[in-house]
Amino acid sequence: MSDALVPDAVRPDAVVSDPVVSDPVVSEAADAVVSAAELERRTIRRGDFVSCNQAFIDCRTPGSDRKENYAMIGPGVSQAAGQHVNLRLPHGYNIGAAAMPHGITNNLHLHYTAEVFVCTEGEYLLRWGADGSEGEHLLRAGDIASVPTWIFRGFTNTGPDDGWMFTVLGMDHTGGIIWGPSVLREAEDHGLYLSADNELIDTVAGDEIPDGTELTKPMAREHIDRLRHYSPDEMRRRVASADDLVWSEQPFLDSALPGGGALLSCVIGFGMTEDLHQEPRIFNPHGHNVAWLRAEPGQGISLHRQRETQTLIVKDGLWEITLNRTDPVPVRLGPRDMLSVPQDAWRTVRNVGDGRGDLMVVNSGDGRVRLDWDEEVEKSAADAGFGIDHNGYVAPYALLPRSARRW
């Protein structure tokens, strides 16, 4: 059996983690010690990505037949039984990617859970509406777009052939997708059908439609007419481009300490910010939150842990993530590399490159992520005049009540 399919509970090197709970206090949680083998299992490098060009029903449709679909964390909404998934552990979200040559299109479809596009290279033209004519927006490198649920969307690579777009999908089980009516009809012309159980049937490859199988039918006009419409202005407010980002220079307790100093921009949800005045660009529930972390060489986030699952994805630069408070195990990540960090695992995040680096942070849940800092970090912050108030935000240490002052 593949390691990716072995439950944590039966792996000898597994991290034992409590389930995600609503209680934000993590200081009493048991230390989760991560082995070198577990760290390696959760490290997904660019070279580990495996594409599937038959993931969806439009894989033979001219103009859509050269798509590459990737599933790194969870299967996402792939309809191919042979889709390679790098890590199948439940995270509360799925992470994948789409790569297509110039001019190739991902056809109109609808999601039940949140779909977030993160364009890291190239350009993609996003369009939406039942026939794709309600609006369009050009996504460039560094842009993050949150597409509402229950609307049809599609996109085309309008940039170079090496364009790259990560996708973050809400929830462990996404429910699959609904294809635009014209997509299903055209697929039938190429021998492809979709069962009501979201299984792809390829009659050209020799698949037969079993007797009694219910096939997915195009959405009826009465249902299409009831879908919400989004104007280009409304959709633009759900996109965070480089010019839209608002960076907090003091997002964490260790912001003024050696080894700290990272900047944070909250894109979706409040996430892990400890800056009282920081707000995200996009507020509505996704089942996860997304932020950009930026650091100069030598800077990052000091030793801390959290209850939520977390995935770190490098946009640019060279980063070192070290897990465990004792017996530390480090890993270095470059562009497109990602790491799934176990719940309750102690971690430090550091830019070890020669220039400024950006890292995308994805945490599970719709609530705030409350960090638990190592005692030495808390002591150093107190000496520098800072502490964490009862609401989880950085505040002047001298003004905190005695119950929040430990030194």
Side-chain angles (χ1 to χ4, degrees):
M1 180 181 291
S2 167
D3 276 357
L5 300 177
V6 179
D8 276 350
V10 299
R11 287 180 55 81
D13 60 349
V15 173
V16 179
S17 299
D18 294 332
V20 178
V21 296
S22 57
D23 183 358
V25 179
V26 296
S27 58
E28 297 181 357
D31 282 9
V33 179
V34 183
S35 69
E38 183 67 10
L39 175 64
E40 181 179 1
R41 180 169 79 119
R42 289 173 173 267
T43 301
I44 307 173
R45 301 195 180 278
R46 172 65 185 92
D48 299 329
F49 300 170
V50 178
S51 68
C52 177
N53 60 6
Q54 295 182 333
F56 298 114
I57 199 168
D58 63 343
C59 62
R60 289 203 188 98
T61 301
S64 300
D65 53 347
R66 290 188 291 157
K67 294 187 299 181
E68 294 180 351
N69 187 70
Y70 298 84
M72 296 81 156
I73 295 179
V77 293
S78 176
Q79 296 166 331
Q83 174 77 60
H84 178 83
V85 181
N86 292 95
L87 189 61
R88 290 185 178 270
L89 294 178
H91 283 63
Y93 50 82
N94 290 252
I95 295 180
M100 310 181 301
H102 173 82
I104 297 300
T105 292
N106 188 17
N107 283 296
L108 293 167
H109 61 282
L110 173 156
H111 283 254
Y112 302 107
T113 67
E115 181 177 39
V116 175
F117 295 134
V118 184
C119 181
T120 58
E121 296 179 47
E123 293 182 349
Y124 286 86
L125 183 65
L126 172 68
R127 66 192 185 285
W128 61 93
D131 59 0
S133 63
E134 282 190 18
E136 58 184 36
H137 182 84
L138 186 63
L139 299 175
R140 297 182 174 87
D143 289 357
I144 295 179
S146 170
V147 184
T149 60
W150 285 100
I151 71 167
F152 285 104
R153 82 293 309 271
F155 52 90
T156 300
N157 183 351
T158 56
D161 285 354
D162 59 355
W164 186 266
M165 188 149 66
F166 283 104
T167 59
V168 186
L169 304 177
M171 311 305 169
D172 289 315
H173 303 290
T174 65
I177 57 180
I178 298 177
W179 287 101
S182 63
V183 179
L184 291 174
R185 296 188 184 103
E186 190 166 5
E188 290 185 8
D189 294 338
H190 299 281
L192 293 168
Y193 300 84
L194 190 64
S195 75
D197 294 324
N198 203 39
E199 295 180 355
L200 191 62
I201 300 172
D202 187 348
T203 58
V204 173
D207 294 345
E208 295 184 358
I209 302 176
D211 292 339
T213 298
E214 181 183 354
L215 298 178
T216 298
K217 298 179 181 179
M219 183 184 288
R221 172 51 60 181
E222 62 178 303
H223 295 303
I224 292 176
D225 291 341
R226 292 174 186 163
L227 297 177
R228 178 175 168 180
H229 303 283
Y230 282 81
S231 69
D233 286 343
E234 287 177 311
M235 191 66 76
R236 178 64 184 86
R237 291 195 291 270
R238 301 182 66 87
V239 177
S241 66
D243 293 338
D244 300 319
L245 299 180
V246 178
W247 296 90
S248 171
E249 296 184 356
Q250 295 183 315
F252 305 119
L253 178 64
D254 73 335
S255 292
L257 303 180
L263 308 183
L264 186 74
S265 181
C266 298
V267 178
I268 298 172
F270 286 88
M272 58 197 293
T273 185
E274 295 178 328
D275 182 347
L276 172 64
H277 304 292
Q278 189 168 25
E279 294 184 344
R281 179 168 176 84
I282 302 167
F283 288 85
N284 70 291
H286 284 60
H288 59 267
N289 55 79
V290 178
W292 287 117
L293 186 77
R294 172 173 290 175
E296 299 294 334
Q299 295 182 333
I301 313 177
S302 304
L303 191 61
H304 68 285
R305 62 180 174 176
Q306 63 185 54
R307 298 304 312 273
E308 295 78 9
T309 62
Q310 181 180 76
T311 301
L312 306 175
I313 306 174
V314 175
K315 179 179 179 291
D316 45 45
L318 179 64
W319 295 77
E320 183 173 83
I321 318 300
T322 303
L323 305 186
N324 300 337
R325 184 155 53 177
T326 58
D327 299 323
V329 288
V331 63
R332 291 196 170 192
L333 306 176
R336 296 193 196 175
D337 292 347
M338 65 175 65
L339 174 67
S340 163
V341 185
Q343 298 168 260
D344 295 326
W346 291 99
R347 71 208 70 181
T348 60
V349 180
R350 191 87 62 240
N351 177 0
V352 294
D354 296 328
R356 188 182 76 185
D358 284 357
L359 185 74
M360 187 171 73
V361 182
V362 181
N363 296 305
S364 62
D366 290 312
R368 286 170 53 202
V369 176
R370 300 288 290 270
L371 304 184
D372 185 20
W373 294 96
D374 179 70
E375 284 191 359
E376 292 302 317
V377 177
E378 292 182 336
K379 289 178 181 178
S380 297
D383 290 341
F386 298 101
I388 298 294
D389 68 17
H390 282 68
N391 204 26
Y393 291 111
V394 176
Y397 190 77
L399 299 181
L400 296 178
R402 288 187 179 274
S403 58
R405 285 187 282 146
R406 302 171 61 187
W407 298 281

